[in-house]
Amino acid sequence: MEETIEIRMLSSVAELSEAEWDACACPEAQDGGRPLDPFTTWRFLNALEQSGSVGTGTGWEPHYLAATVGGMLIGVAPLYAKGHSQGEYIFDHNWAHAYERAGGHYYPKLQIAVPFTPATGRRFLTHPNFTDSARSALMQGAMQIAEQSNLSGVHATFCTEDEVAAGKLLGLMGRKSQQYHWFNESYDSFDGFLQVLSSRKRKNIRKERERANAFGGDIHVLTGDQIEPEHWDSFWQFYQDTGARKWGTPYLTRAFFDIAHETLRDDIVLMLAERDGHYVAGALNFLGRDVIYGRYWGCIEDHPCLHFELCYYRAIDWAIEHGLSRVEAGAQGDHKLARGYMPTVTHSLHWLTDPGLRKAVAQFLAAEAAAVDEEIEILTDYGPFRKTQVEEQE
């Protein structure tokens, strides 16, 4: 007779040790290597908590799920009670408005996600020996908690395609969205990448890089112990400027960057532009085992094309130099297409407790998925790559 899997909620990731959590979140890193996904590690989620970026008053209340069998931890999930739909990048505002116009209460809802982080990765983090059973238990546990607590539903955003397939078998609804990712086709250099582009796009990128690097200063690419505390003082200025314009107030607190310096800097690549002895712009990237993730950009001086250089081209340089398979450059941004970042499907899972809302959203998601597939097909055709193998004349 199989032992029962028990599900419990944790108010802090610190209720589990780093080793316990990471044995499920990143078992591939147990040999000391880099995790596939830096954002679901204990150290990243703990930094969000300890810095006050999530928790009381933020609209992101931690209620992590832990699955155990016979006292052994076999799965965890980063679950939050959400009082709004901010910081998710998979938009459900229309669902909320429709439900509340009909007399329902959409918030709070349950969100299985990495806060403020539109990067694809596993959301149901399981011990390798219990992948199917632990994942199923975590999904069903979240649904039961929502129903028993009279919450509107459960949402798992930027999850994997495998998780969507497993979730559908349990009655969750899959949703397709789209981002722009750059893929490394074993390029030996940035110029090698340029050679597969159309002549016009190749010339445009070269011109942009020339303009960017003529801003009157130097660009520093820093990681690990190369990053000093004062670098975060400058980056905080950049981040505040971007956060104020995009979201009204920045999602991350200043303390997050101090904690990141102590516990996350080996997971970080920081691109900083320095002019006349002062840093004037910067881009923050995180490193996975095979991916570099572009996360935040900001500046205190405007210089032509410097944004493209720091956020997109330097990330490509890093990926090629270190043999990484792709660059994920965050949410949205059609301008990425002309710079070699191609439209790519992302996935999420949704379950709503109200049968009427569930039916309406299911119909919407079916139509939306067809539209996303069509958009990706059209955008791919407009990509910057050569349409034939015949080399074009410069």
Side-chain angles (χ1 to χ4, degrees), residues 21-28 36-37 39-41 74-78 112-114 119-128 131 135 138 156-163 293:
W21 180 278
D22 285 354
C24 296
C26 52
E28 71 282 351
L36 290 170
D37 181 355
F39 304 114
T40 52
T41 60
I74 63 170
V76 292
I112 298 174
V114 178
T120 291
R122 290 188 305 134
R123 295 296 173 258
F124 302 91
L125 311 170
T126 60
H127 189 285
T131 299
R135 180 171 59 193
L138 289 166
T157 43
F158 296 100
C159 57
T160 68
E161 193 169 2
D162 285 346
E163 289 173 326
Y293 300 90

Side-chain angles (χ1 to χ4, degrees), residues 128-189:
N129 295 337
F130 297 89
T131 299
D132 293 338
S133 59
R135 180 171 59 193
S136 177
L138 289 166
M139 289 179 177
Q140 292 180 78
M143 294 160 68
Q144 289 172 7
I145 290 166
E147 193 162 38
Q148 292 168 2
S149 303
N150 294 317
L151 303 179
S152 66
V154 180
H155 311 265
T157 43
F158 296 100
C159 57
T160 68
E161 193 169 2
D162 285 346
E163 289 173 326
V164 170
K168 285 182 176 179
L169 295 177
L170 297 175
L172 288 91
M173 299 175 290
R175 186 179 190 183
K176 285 185 177 181
S177 303
Q178 178 242 309
Q179 285 184 342
Y180 292 95
H181 297 174
W182 180 87
F183 295 94
N184 186 359
E185 302 295 342
S186 300
Y187 301 118
D188 59 359
S189 64

Side-chain angles (χ1 to χ4, degrees), residues 13-18 21-22 25 40-47:
V13 71
E15 290 183 37
L16 296 174
S17 70
E18 184 170 3
W21 180 278
D22 285 354
T40 52
T41 60
W42 187 94
R43 58 185 177 269
F44 185 86
L45 297 173
N46 187 61

Side-chain angles (χ1 to χ4, degrees), residues 46-58 251-253 255-256 259:
N46 187 61
L48 291 178
E49 277 191 57
Q50 295 303 311
S51 66
S53 300
V54 301
T56 304
T58 67
Y251 290 139
L252 300 173
T253 65
F256 174 84
I259 296 170

